[in-house]
């Protein structure tokens, strides 16, 4: 049923209705719309704007619709324009004209953004919980390989040896920042828009603060025009999910490299791999590739909404209907990708010997020569140059750094002697890097322990928020 039309003599053209119709995607908001309707009903009743009998009848019908929507017994029909009109149709089918009473004091403008905030909070909390599970998997795998040595890379070139656990654990810290962003986002998003009306508030004796409290929001709107036009929370959520996607993409990129024949470091479990329809020998790290690929649509959804928002004047504009599909798609994408990547990480095995053999290649221990000279009070610029000359000599004679003679060392720099060989080992290079956040196994173990503790606290915080939110939704 249409929620407008009194001043029109003709119905919308079929093409207009088809373009305006949003029920095919915004029906997902139905449980949240019913919850906000119950909160609005409470204010109408307490303000004596509707009779006790009508309020009781409407409350009963709304609760029936909650069950019927959940079971699928009540669903949209072809003539429904959007979720709000569909649910009002449900009320009027149960109550007749009384079903339209609930519209007093609210507009679809404040109604839809309230519903969307509730939906976003519910689902972003779910994503946050999945992120903590992925962190668990990363930290477990990192802990398993703290004592494994591997080459570290910059520019996809061998740089310096690292603990492979250190390499893996870096991803947990990236996701921790995403969780921090979600925490901050929740504070800004927990604002009720209900009571703002179309844009100017209401002349009826409503109580937006009471409605906000009833719905579990921490505060209500400060400006009714901003309340109906603000979609910062959508754009921010899309940005956060884009960053999660980018961090997943980096995992995907690395796993794809490591699983290649050229690296042959990673053995991805069969249940997280796929084969080829023509090449029977293939075992492809498709979960890694899909994680990498899906990041593009997450970024695209953010750009879509930012572009839509950039030129909107004044208060509500129908352009804002375009906020939902990108948000829904990004949420659905992460709910699909996160469990698969978590499983892939948890079940991948790495070849310790291949990584150890590769660790010193590419003259990755050259910095040890420079540091050796610095400890002898040689300025780093000179030490760096001497180490570079050692590399040049090794390249020209097809040797490794530790294979140079004492005479060759001293010919490159007077303070360089055979004692440098003691530091030209992968283990020595790792053990020496005990500065905060460094790659020494002792440091990596401490980092993992701290990250685990923080993740446990985050999981509890998210769990508490989910319980509180679920309680409010059921109230």
């Amino acid at each position: 049923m249409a929620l407008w039309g009194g001043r029109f003599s003709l119905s919308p053209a079929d093409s207009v209705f088809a373009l305006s119709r949003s029920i095919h995607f915004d029906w997902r908001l139905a449980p949240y719309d019913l919850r906000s309707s119950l909160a609005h009903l409470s204010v109408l009743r307490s303000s004596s704007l509707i009779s006790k009998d009508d309020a009781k009848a409407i409350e009963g019908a709304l609760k029936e619709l909650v069950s019927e929507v959940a079971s699928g017994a009540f669903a949209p029909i072809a003539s429904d324009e959007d979720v709000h009109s569909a649910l009002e149709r449900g009320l009027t089918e149960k109550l007749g004209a009384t079903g339209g009473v609930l519209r007093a004091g609210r507009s679809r403008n404040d109604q839809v953004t309230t519903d969307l905030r509730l939906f976003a909070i519910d689902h972003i909390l779910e994503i946050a919980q999945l992120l903590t599970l992925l962190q668990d998997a990363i930290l477990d795998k990192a802990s398993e390989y703290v004592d494994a040595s591997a080459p570290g890379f910059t520019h996809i070139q061998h740089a310096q040896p690292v603990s492979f656990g250190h390499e893996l654990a870096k991803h947990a810290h990236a996701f921790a920042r995403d969780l921090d962003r979600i925490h901050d986002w929740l504070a800004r998003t927990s604002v009720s828009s209900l009571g703002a009306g179309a844009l100017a508030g209401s002349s009826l004796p409503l109580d937006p603060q009471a409605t906000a409290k009833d719905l579990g929001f921490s505060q209500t709107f400060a400006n009714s025009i901003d309340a109906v036009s603000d979609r910062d929370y959508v754009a921010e959520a899309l940005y956060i999910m884009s960053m999660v996607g980018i961090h997943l993409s980096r995992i995907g990129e690395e796993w794809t490299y490591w699983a290649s024949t050229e690296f042959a470091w990673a053995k991805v479990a069969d249940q997280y791999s796929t084969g080829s329809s023509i090449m029977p020998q293939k075992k492809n790290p498709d979960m890694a590739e899909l994680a990498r690929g899906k990041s593009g649509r997450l970024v695209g959804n953010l750009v879509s909404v930012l572009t839509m928002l950039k030129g909107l004047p004044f208060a509500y504009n129908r352009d804002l209907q375009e906020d939902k599909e990108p948000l829904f798609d990004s949420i659905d994408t992460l709910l699909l990708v996160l469990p698969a990547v978590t499983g892939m990480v948890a079940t991948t095995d790495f070849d310790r010997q291949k990584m150890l053999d590769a660790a010193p290649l590419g003259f990755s221990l050259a910095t040890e020569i420079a540091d050796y000279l610095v400890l002898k009070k040689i300025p780093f610029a000179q030490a760096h140059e001497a180490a570079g000359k050692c590399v040049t000599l090794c390249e020209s004679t097809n040797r490794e750094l530790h294979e140079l003679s004492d005479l060759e060392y001293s010919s490159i720099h007077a303070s360089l002697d055979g004692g440098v060989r003691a530091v030209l080992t992968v283990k020595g290079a790792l053990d020496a890097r005990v500065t905060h956040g460094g790659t020494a196994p002792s440091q990596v173990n401490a980092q993992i322990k701290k990250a685990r503790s923080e993740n446990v606290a985050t999981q509890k915080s998210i769990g508490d928020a989910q319980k509180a939110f679920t309680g409010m939704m059921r109230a």
Side-chain angles (χ1 to χ4, degrees):
M1 62 177 292
L3 301 184
W4 52 274
R7 62 93 66 217
F8 291 84
S9 56
L10 294 174
S11 297
D14 289 345
S15 60
V16 171
F17 181 74
L19 181 58
S20 298
R21 193 169 185 262
S22 59
I23 190 67
H24 51 290
F25 58 82
D26 68 15
W27 181 244
R28 298 178 66 164
L29 299 178
Y32 308 93
D33 192 80
L34 289 166
R35 180 65 188 89
S36 66
S37 291
L38 284 164
H40 183 62
L41 172 65
S42 179
V43 168
L44 294 179
R45 176 167 43 201
S46 63
S47 301
S48 300
L49 290 169
I50 59 176
S51 70
K52 291 181 179 179
D53 289 343
D54 281 351
K56 185 176 181 180
I58 293 171
E59 182 179 12
L62 285 172
K63 289 182 176 179
E64 286 178 10
L65 281 171
V66 169
S67 298
E68 291 169 2
V69 166
S71 68
F74 182 83
I77 60 177
S79 59
D80 291 328
E81 182 182 11
D82 55 26
V83 62
H84 316 294
S85 58
L87 292 174
E88 184 162 320
R89 173 178 60 81
L91 280 177
T92 57
E93 287 174 356
K94 293 177 180 294
L95 303 173
T98 303
V101 170
L102 196 57
R103 206 189 305 172
R106 73 175 180 179
S107 161
R108 284 187 296 181
N109 295 0
D110 63 342
Q111 193 175 350
V112 69
T113 188
T114 300
D115 298 348
L116 194 57
R117 285 177 187 269
L118 291 171
F119 175 93
I121 290 170
D122 193 11
H123 288 79
I124 296 297
L125 283 172
E126 185 178 359
I127 286 170
Q129 196 65 264
L130 290 175
L131 282 171
T132 66
L133 297 179
L134 176 53
Q135 280 186 299
D136 279 341
I138 291 169
L139 293 171
D140 285 347
K141 191 60 63 173
S143 183
E144 183 181 347
Y145 287 94
V146 169
D147 62 344
S149 303
F153 295 86
T154 62
H155 309 280
I156 319 183
Q157 303 290 318
H158 283 219
Q160 291 176 288
V162 296
S163 155
F164 192 62
H166 195 211
E167 186 78 77
L168 293 171
K170 73 177 187 284
H171 294 295
H173 295 280
F175 292 121
R177 292 192 294 275
D178 293 326
L179 287 163
D180 282 345
R181 278 185 275 268
I182 289 173
H183 180 268
D184 294 342
W185 172 87
L186 284 169
R188 283 187 291 277
T189 303
S190 187
V191 180
S192 175
S193 304
L194 209 56
L199 79 160
S202 177
S203 61
L204 300 177
L206 304 178
D207 189 350
Q209 288 85 358
T211 304
K213 184 177 180 181
D214 191 357
L215 290 172
F217 290 113
S218 61
Q219 57 184 307
T220 189
F221 60 90
N223 180 294
S224 59
I225 299 175
D226 178 62
V228 299
S229 59
D230 169 33
R231 293 298 185 276
D232 288 7
Y233 65 95
V234 175
E236 273 196 79
L238 290 170
Y239 170 73
I240 292 167
M241 289 188 283
S242 295
M243 288 305 302
V244 172
I246 287 167
H247 294 146
L248 289 169
S249 181
R250 292 189 67 186
I251 287 178
E253 181 83 350
E254 289 179 2
W255 248 254
T256 303
Y257 275 123
W258 292 336
S260 68
T261 302
E262 284 70 24
F263 267 82
W265 289 7
K267 183 179 180 182
V268 180
D270 285 358
Q271 61 267 45
Y272 292 97
S273 305
T274 63
S276 166
S277 60
I278 190 172
M279 295 171 285
Q281 84 282 6
K282 292 299 293 296
K283 182 179 177 182
N284 301 324
D286 280 10
M287 297 309 99
E289 293 172 7
L290 286 168
R292 187 176 58 189
K294 293 289 186 182
S295 64
R297 74 190 293 157
L298 295 170
V299 173
N301 287 335
L302 169 63
V303 172
S304 173
V305 167
L306 289 175
T307 304
M308 178 269 290
L309 291 174
K310 71 175 181 61
L312 296 187
F314 307 120
Y316 183 85
N317 295 271
R318 194 60 180 273
D319 312 50
L320 291 172
Q321 182 170 301
E322 296 301 308
D323 60 357
K324 296 170 196 64
E325 288 177 288
L327 180 66
F328 295 165
D329 181 71
S330 288
I331 287 170
D332 289 346
T333 296
L334 286 184
L335 292 178
L336 195 64
V337 173
L338 283 167
V341 172
T342 300
M344 180 189 74
V345 169
T347 57
T348 299
D349 290 324
F350 293 93
D351 191 320
R352 293 169 178 269
Q353 191 59 51
K354 278 192 170 68
M355 293 190 296
L356 176 60
D357 291 344
L361 299 181
F363 305 106
S364 66
L365 294 169
T367 304
E368 308 311 306
I369 297 176
D371 287 349
Y372 179 79
L373 289 171
V374 167
L375 291 172
K376 290 191 168 192
K377 312 303 181 186
I378 304 302
F380 186 79
Q382 294 179 28
H384 184 282
E385 183 176 0
K389 288 181 177 179
C390 288
V391 170
T392 299
L393 178 56
C394 286
E395 284 183 320
S396 66
T397 58
N398 195 27
R399 286 181 290 171
E400 295 297 328
L401 292 169
H402 67 277
E403 294 176 326
L404 296 180
S405 68
D406 291 0
L407 183 61
E408 286 171 319
Y409 285 137
S410 62
S411 69
I412 289 171
H413 194 285
S415 295
L416 190 57
D417 55 42
V420 75
R421 293 190 189 89
V423 300
L424 291 178
T425 66
V426 170
K427 186 178 186 305
L430 265 60
D431 289 344
R433 280 162 172 74
V434 293
T435 51
H436 179 77
T439 197
S442 59
Q443 272 294 312
V444 178
N445 278 319
Q447 295 158 24
I448 291 172
K449 183 179 179 181
K450 184 172 185 291
R452 283 191 195 280
S453 176
E454 291 171 350
N455 197 37
V456 168
T458 300
Q459 286 176 329
K460 184 181 185 306
S461 175
I462 294 166
D464 290 345
Q466 286 179 309
K467 287 177 184 176
F469 183 85
T470 301
M472 288 295 182
M473 285 293 294
R474 291 175 178 170

